């Protein structure tokens, strides 16, 4: 009952209220990114949702598109702008995903939606992370986020799938707010973002 009815209802209500309250901040960030990021405010990317169904995720764009002499994008750390670094540190870049929540693409809490290219790389156990809607935050995010290995991240995702409940969701949301205020576990140990999953873990 919770997963099918109350969870989507809570998602919608909280997302709508937060978007309304945060609108002045979102507008200011959008204007700054437009001015300082060559007019590019948002980042769109196709990600796998429930059962792997594709949807287009919406985030603030925190990195520019600078390339090397061969036309290849520079490393993430070199493309992360000063405004983007602040937006990412405060997790403001995640707020536009509330629109995805309102649309029903994702939930507030669930395994993070990763890349479509990872789908064939998961083993049977890891693939279970797609048995529920992905989320803006999740059990893995409050237990290491980008600072833990892929194998540990997937282990935590599957734990959430097996123990999904109202109390667990509220615990995750509360700890997420606490971690955001402390800017905890934003980056991996060796990069500005998490290294790509290769299927070897």
């Amino acid at each position: 009952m919770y997963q099918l009815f109350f969870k989507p209802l809570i998602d919608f209500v909280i997302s709508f209220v937060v978007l309304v309250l945060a609108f002045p901040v979102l507008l200011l960030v959008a204007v700054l990114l437009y001015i300082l990021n060559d007019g590019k405010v948002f980042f769109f990317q196709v990600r796998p949702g429930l059962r792997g169904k594709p949807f287009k995720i919406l985030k603030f764009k925190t990195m520019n598109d600078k390339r090397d002499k061969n036309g290849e994008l520079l490393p993430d750390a070199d493309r992360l702008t000063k405004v983007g670094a602040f937006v990412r540190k405060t997790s403001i870049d995640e707020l536009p995903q509330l629109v995805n929540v309102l649309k029903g693409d994702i939930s507030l809490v669930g395994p993070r939606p990763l890349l479509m290219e990872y789908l064939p790389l998961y083993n049977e156990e890891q693939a279970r992370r797609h048995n529920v809607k992905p989320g803006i935050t999740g059990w893995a995010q409050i237990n290491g986020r980008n600072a833990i290995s892929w194998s540990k991240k997937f282990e935590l995702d599957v734990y959430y799938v097996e123990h999904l409940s109202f109390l667990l969701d509220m615990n995750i949301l509360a700890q997420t707010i606490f971690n955001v205020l402390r800017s905890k576990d934003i980056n991996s140990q060796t990069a500005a973002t998490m290294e790509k999953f290769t299927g070897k873990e």
Side-chain angles (χ1 to χ4, degrees):
M1 177 66 77
Y2 169 68
Q3 183 176 352
L4 295 177
F5 179 74
F6 290 107
K7 183 175 174 68
L9 179 62
I10 292 171
D11 283 341
F12 186 89
V13 172
I14 293 179
S15 297
F16 182 80
V17 171
V18 172
L19 277 174
V20 171
L21 294 178
F23 181 75
V25 174
L26 297 175
L27 181 60
L28 176 60
V29 171
V31 170
L32 288 174
L33 289 175
Y34 182 85
I35 295 172
L36 302 173
N37 206 23
D38 300 323
K40 298 177 181 178
V41 177
F42 296 106
F43 170 80
F44 299 92
Q45 189 176 57
V46 176
R47 300 282 181 91
L50 179 64
R51 309 296 181 189
K53 181 180 178 181
F55 73 97
K56 189 171 290 187
I57 199 169
L58 175 65
K59 299 177 68 175
F60 278 128
K61 188 174 177 65
T62 58
M63 293 186 288
N64 59 42
D65 298 319
K66 291 183 178 179
R67 299 173 181 269
D68 60 23
K69 60 182 180 181
N70 298 317
E72 299 291 330
L73 285 172
L74 293 174
D76 291 350
D78 294 333
R79 296 189 294 118
L80 186 62
T81 64
K82 290 183 178 180
V83 174
F86 172 77
V87 170
R88 180 174 292 181
K89 181 178 180 180
T90 56
S91 293
I92 293 174
D93 62 317
E94 307 283 357
L95 289 179
Q97 290 173 79
L98 292 173
V99 174
N100 289 120
V101 178
L102 292 179
K103 291 172 58 183
D105 297 327
I106 63 177
S107 178
L108 289 174
V109 179
R112 285 292 295 155
L114 302 174
L115 300 178
M116 294 296 296
E117 64 191 69
Y118 293 170
L119 288 179
L121 302 179
Y122 299 134
N123 60 38
E124 185 176 348
E125 181 71 4
Q126 293 168 343
R128 293 178 61 201
R129 69 191 308 278
H130 292 292
N131 289 347
V132 298
K133 278 186 182 181
I136 294 178
T137 186
W139 189 236
Q141 279 59 54
I142 65 169
N143 286 285
R145 197 173 179 176
N146 288 340
I148 58 177
S149 67
W150 280 112
S151 58
K152 182 62 177 178
K153 187 188 295 284
F154 295 145
E155 178 185 325
L156 293 169
D157 286 342
V158 172
Y159 175 91
Y160 175 80
V161 172
E162 294 176 341
H163 297 84
L164 191 158
S165 69
F166 172 74
L167 289 179
L168 181 58
D169 278 357
M170 293 303 104
N171 179 27
I172 292 171
L173 285 175
Q175 290 196 52
T176 296
I177 294 172
F178 181 65
N179 286 349
V180 166
L181 292 176
R182 294 191 300 158
S183 299
K184 182 182 178 183
D185 299 328
I186 300 299
N187 298 328
S188 68
Q189 297 295 328
T190 59
T193 57
M194 188 73 179
E195 293 83 1
K196 280 195 171 185
F197 175 59
T198 62
K200 295 180 180 180
E201 288 197 57

